[in-house]
Amino acid sequence: MTDDADKPVFHFTPQRNWMNDPNGLVYLDGVYHLFFQYNPDGNDWGNMSWGHATSTDLLSWAEQSLALPYTQDEQIFSGSIVVDHDNTTGFGQDGVVPLVAIYTRVTSNAVQAQALAFSLDRGMTWQKYHANPVLDRNSSAFRDPKVFRAADRHGRERWVMVAVEAEQRMLLVYSSHDLITWAYESTFGPFGDEGVVWECPDLFALNLNGDPSHPRWVLVLSTNKVPDHDSAAFSFTGHFDGHVFVADDAETWRPLDYGRDFYAAVSFANTPDACRIILGWANNWQYAADAPTYPWRGAMTLPRQLELTETGITQNLPAVTEEALPAEPSQTYQADHLEGPVIFDSGRHYRFRLTCTLDDAAEVSVGLLSGAGMPAAVLHYAAGTHTLSFERTRSGRNEFHPRFAEVSSVRLPSSSSSSPQSLSQSLSHRLELDIFVDGCIVEVFANRGAATLTMQAFSAPDAREIVLSADGRAPIRARVELYDLTQITVTNSRMLMLENVAGPPSE
């Protein structure tokens, strides 16, 4: 358990120094690998390198040694990692399947180009390709390559890269048979508002309603408004034939998360059963440099498994994470007519599950990280408008940036209740909130992942209460389950010895 009240214990954050975008997310031999933008020399952005962490359950992380350090001539910006099962690069030796990192190298003249590094020991040590870069447009904003396997129009599998010309708001598609020689395929964009940069693209297929006969393609983009640097992540659905991505509606930007602190989300490669699991940076460029944490700064979100339905993308916790969480609640509460306030002594690292049945006149609120009745964050649901709001303006430490103390809202799809209507036949709506609080990170999964909100909230060190309340004008049936997550393994140790987890490298 950390002495720093703000520091998460089940969201990955490094022991010290600055961290931002997740990079090179990959699964291999029972281990999930998280690489990330990292400054090994301080807790401000700079000296960009790739840090490294590993997990077997996507919940308890072990920080590993620095993977790709910056040099005097090169910084290591964002990118991805693939498992080169067929050794298309020729980097594999003696039957060992190589991991290949495709990253943006930034040289002293500010040119951004794509480069390779490879590992023959499951990502623990890396060697840069001797003929880097492998793709250079002589651009100062060509970055963030995400690479995956996809068939061309003739059904032939090869590597596909999506990257961005960030300032021109363009997604570029390239293809390759060996990860070394790349051919241009197409461009998507520009779309949307000017004065925005595009970053961290990801393109993947999801089966509609889980039906493999109805695959759809999803494009994820993170955007950063300049000069105020307000950032967010969005998604498009569409078609991809291995060469060109066509959005169903390029003018409709669907937020991937409705909170202020969800950015640079990308998915894991090589996952079991082809699950699409994403991870984001729980921060916003608008105030990331001012966050009041030391000697660490920056955290990742919980990993989320994406599913696609007619109403859009849902985000659920991956099954492996569910298995790692406590099965039994430490506290429960149930009321046929919620009044309140009801106060729970929760600590600062917990899961709070709230299920409500209510009518159109009802409103319910959950105060988080509360001390002396002053919550650092308040979730408020108005049933009449189906609006869920996250407010961090009332209290807590929010003075470090003028735009931090704001409200985020989302209108949830209406959900009818199938519960008995003994109180009133008007109890027709059902609200389900699955809330994870971990130090300064709050993640809200509403109505089984139909919408999510990720926000930071900085409170007094002794703020350890949840305050549940209703407006009292209409009946609300409520059930609460509170799970203590304090004992989940803290990150930042190198206890996970990969040779003891997975045996010899894959062949």
Side-chain angles (χ1 to χ4, degrees), residues 81-92:
I81 288 176
V82 297
V83 182
D84 188 9
H85 290 287
D86 297 326
N87 198 24
T88 62
T89 55
F91 294 158

Side-chain angles (χ1 to χ4, degrees), residues 21 23 37 77-80 102-105 112-114 141-147 161-166 171 198-202 222 263-264 266:
D21 304 358
N23 299 152
Q37 291 285 275
F77 276 23
S78 292
S80 53
I102 308 94
Y103 65 92
T104 299
R105 60 175 264 178
Q112 298 184 6
Q114 313 322 314
F142 176 45
R143 57 179 177 263
D144 306 345
K146 183 63 188 292
V147 175
M161 175 197 296
V162 289
V164 291
E165 276 287 356
L171 176 85
W198 288 10
E199 295 186 307
C200 304
D202 199 355
S222 289
Y263 194 70
V266 289

Side-chain angles (χ1 to χ4, degrees), residues 295-362:
W296 58 279
R297 184 173 277 153
M300 295 301 175
T301 68
L302 289 172
R304 306 171 181 185
Q305 183 169 325
L306 301 188
E307 297 175 354
L308 184 63
T309 68
E310 289 87 352
T311 58
I313 291 176
T314 60
Q315 301 181 54
N316 299 302
L317 294 177
V320 286
T321 301
E322 289 282 6
E323 294 169 0
L325 290 167
E328 298 296 328
S330 56
Q331 298 181 52
T332 60
Y333 169 82
Q334 191 158 332
D336 284 338
H337 196 148
L338 176 66
E339 294 180 357
V342 182
I343 299 176
F344 302 86
D345 185 356
S346 58
R348 300 177 63 88
H349 309 278
Y350 58 85
R351 181 185 195 180
F352 184 80
R353 303 183 74 170
L354 171 66
T355 303
C356 291
T357 309
L358 61 175
D359 70 10
D360 284 344

Side-chain angles (χ1 to χ4, degrees), residues 122-174:
R122 301 193 196 92
M124 304 310 290
T125 60
W126 292 85
Q127 179 178 336
K128 293 178 181 177
Y129 178 52
H130 68 89
N132 281 333
V134 296
L135 183 55
D136 186 354
R137 292 169 50 90
N138 193 31
S139 167
S140 62
F142 176 45
R143 57 179 177 263
D144 306 345
K146 183 63 188 292
V147 175
F148 55 95
R149 297 287 286 179
D152 66 11
R153 295 188 183 109
H154 304 288
R156 296 173 299 202
E157 288 275 333
R158 76 271 199 262
W159 299 107
V160 173
M161 175 197 296
V162 289
V164 291
E165 276 287 356
E167 296 170 359
Q168 298 179 43
R169 294 174 293 126
M170 296 193 308
L171 176 85
L172 304 177
V173 182
Y174 292 85

Side-chain angles (χ1 to χ4, degrees), residues 98-239:
L99 285 176
V100 182
I102 308 94
Y103 65 92
T104 299
R105 60 175 264 178
V106 184
T107 49
S108 55
N109 61 357
V111 170
Q112 298 184 6
Q114 313 322 314
L116 303 180
F118 63 93
S119 173
L120 300 178
D121 59 1
R122 301 193 196 92
M124 304 310 290
T125 60
W126 292 85
Q127 179 178 336
K128 293 178 181 177
Y129 178 52
H130 68 89
N132 281 333
V134 296
L135 183 55
D136 186 354
R137 292 169 50 90
N138 193 31
S139 167
S140 62
F142 176 45
R143 57 179 177 263
D144 306 345
K146 183 63 188 292
V147 175
F148 55 95
R149 297 287 286 179
D152 66 11
R153 295 188 183 109
H154 304 288
R156 296 173 299 202
E157 288 275 333
R158 76 271 199 262
W159 299 107
V160 173
M161 175 197 296
V162 289
V164 291
E165 276 287 356
E167 296 170 359
Q168 298 179 43
R169 294 174 293 126
M170 296 193 308
L171 176 85
L172 304 177
V173 182
Y174 292 85
S175 65
S176 174
H177 293 287
D178 60 4
L179 296 173
I180 296 171
T181 302
W182 293 91
Y184 168 78
E185 294 284 353
S186 62
T187 297
F188 174 79
F191 300 106
D193 297 335
E194 296 184 3
V196 173
V197 296
W198 288 10
E199 295 186 307
C200 304
D202 199 355
L203 183 62
F204 48 83
L206 284 179
N207 295 327
L208 183 63
N209 296 321
D211 184 353
S213 66
H214 290 86
R216 302 286 291 166
W217 283 84
V218 176
L219 172 64
V220 172
L221 280 174
S222 289
T223 66
N224 190 21
K225 298 178 183 178
V226 292
D228 64 344
H229 296 293
D230 192 11
S231 50
F234 298 89
S235 68
F236 304 86
T237 57
H239 302 270

Side-chain angles (χ1 to χ4, degrees), residues 1 54 63 65 73 146 177 188 318 451:
M1 180 68 183
T54 52
E63 187 173 2
S65 299
D73 301 320
K146 183 63 188 292
H177 293 287
F188 174 79

